[in-house]
Amino acid sequence: FFCSPSIKNPGGARVFCRIAYLQPSSDMTQVITQPAAWQTLDLSLFEATPGLRVVFLPDSPRFTLIAISQDMCRYVGMPREHFIGRGVFDTFPANPADTENTGHKNLLASLNEVDRTGAPHQMQRQRYDVAVGGGDFREIYWQNNSMPLLDAQGQLCYIIHRAEDITEKVKAEKREVDFRGLERVHRLFMETPLVIGIARGKDYVLEMANREALKLWGKGPEIIGKPLLEGIPEAANQNITDLFDE
């Protein structure tokens, strides 16, 4: 967060501004030299910068929003007026369908940590669903961090909160874990020394058969996907389908 008392335009005229540029940084604590009531701040430059960002007052547990980036407004599908002057948990309510619902608790803990220490805080990966456009909630995973803005006396004035949607990354990792789990189950199924086959439907279509089953039946993998009695005609003399029916 950089403040400049004035800047000069190319024509030499002096233009006064309160905020020249605002960018969260992971290795520094920002300082405001002359704090003012938030209603008088011109935060338009902050709101125009790219990224999903908001500015909070350190009024725990409310944490009033005083600025929100245009990107965040577009992302949530709501106008700026919906957020400004309201508490974070009023504007971003909990998803009643999320039974774990740790988003509120962990976000509050993170903001309180910044409020207590005056130091930046990086949240762990967090699910926090959002009602996009005021409609249905969407499952979203976030990587968030909060930065303090201090006055010249070192007192906390504002908190910049930056969010990153990592939902696709999280879901891709989950798919990878699920796939690896299925691979392990399939390997155990195929390598077990017991005779195992899986059939489905009224015709008992063979979906899977391990090596021991194929060896016992004297068949190859070509029988997979065929009805049991088509793939193993001799099974008709063993009343296997009657056993399955029972």
Side-chain angles (χ1 to χ4, degrees):
F1 186 100
F2 299 93
C3 294
S4 174
S6 66
I7 57 176
K8 289 185 177 180
N9 66 17
R14 191 173 296 272
V15 180
F16 288 87
C17 64
R18 185 179 301 277
I19 294 177
Y21 183 69
L22 191 154
Q23 172 66 50
S25 169
S26 59
D27 59 356
M28 65 179 293
T29 297
Q30 292 81 356
V31 175
I32 297 178
T33 57
Q34 293 182 340
W38 70 266
Q39 293 93 339
T40 66
L41 292 176
D42 180 4
L43 295 170
S44 57
L45 288 176
F46 168 83
E47 294 181 340
T49 56
L52 305 179
R53 300 191 185 99
V54 297
V55 178
F56 297 121
L57 292 178
D59 55 347
S60 179
R62 177 180 172 85
F63 291 107
T64 302
L65 280 83
I66 66 169
I68 183 167
S69 67
Q70 295 170 11
D71 281 352
M72 179 66 89
C73 289
R74 284 189 288 267
Y75 181 90
V76 179
M78 298 295 286
R80 177 181 183 274
E81 292 72 25
H82 174 76
F83 303 97
I84 301 303
R86 299 177 61 190
V88 60
F89 301 116
D90 293 332
T91 53
F92 294 95
N95 180 0
D98 181 6
T99 55
E100 295 183 3
N101 190 23
T102 61
H104 277 203
K105 179 186 72 174
N106 291 341
L107 177 57
L108 179 61
S110 177
L111 295 174
N112 277 333
E113 181 72 9
V114 178
D115 191 14
R116 182 180 67 83
T117 65
H121 187 262
Q122 174 74 50
M123 292 185 66
Q124 298 294 320
R125 175 184 297 181
Q126 177 66 54
R127 176 180 174 180
Y128 197 125
D129 297 350
V130 174
V132 177
D136 295 336
F137 280 90
R138 189 169 71 193
E139 181 179 333
I140 304 177
Y141 292 86
W142 302 91
Q143 191 76 62
N144 298 351
N145 64 68
S146 297
M147 300 293 301
L149 280 80
L150 310 180
D151 64 18
Q153 288 72 45
Q155 298 299 310
L156 180 64
C157 293
Y158 311 105
I159 299 173
I160 299 177
H161 186 76
R162 183 172 63 86
E164 179 185 0
D165 181 350
I166 58 170
T167 305
E168 290 307 314
K169 177 182 177 181
V170 171
K171 290 185 175 181
E173 290 175 356
K174 287 185 175 181
R175 287 192 295 268
E176 180 68 18
V177 170
D178 291 344
F179 179 74
R180 290 178 180 176
L182 289 173
E183 277 190 325
R184 287 194 293 269
V185 171
H186 182 265
R187 186 168 59 252
L188 289 172
F189 174 85
M190 297 302 294
E191 295 177 356
T192 183
L194 302 175
V195 174
I196 302 178
I198 298 177
R200 173 181 56 84
K202 64 179 183 178
D203 293 328
Y204 302 113
V205 175
L206 284 167
E207 290 193 334
M208 295 182 70
N210 66 356
R211 281 198 292 263
E212 291 297 318
L214 295 176
K215 180 179 177 181
L216 176 66
W217 298 333
K219 305 293 182 180
E222 69 277 358
I223 68 172
I224 304 301
K226 295 181 179 180
L228 177 65
L229 295 182
E230 180 182 336
I232 314 173
E234 54 271 29
N237 300 324
Q238 301 174 16
N239 299 320
I240 291 179
T241 54
D242 293 337
L243 292 174
F244 285 175
D245 288 340
E246 294 179 3

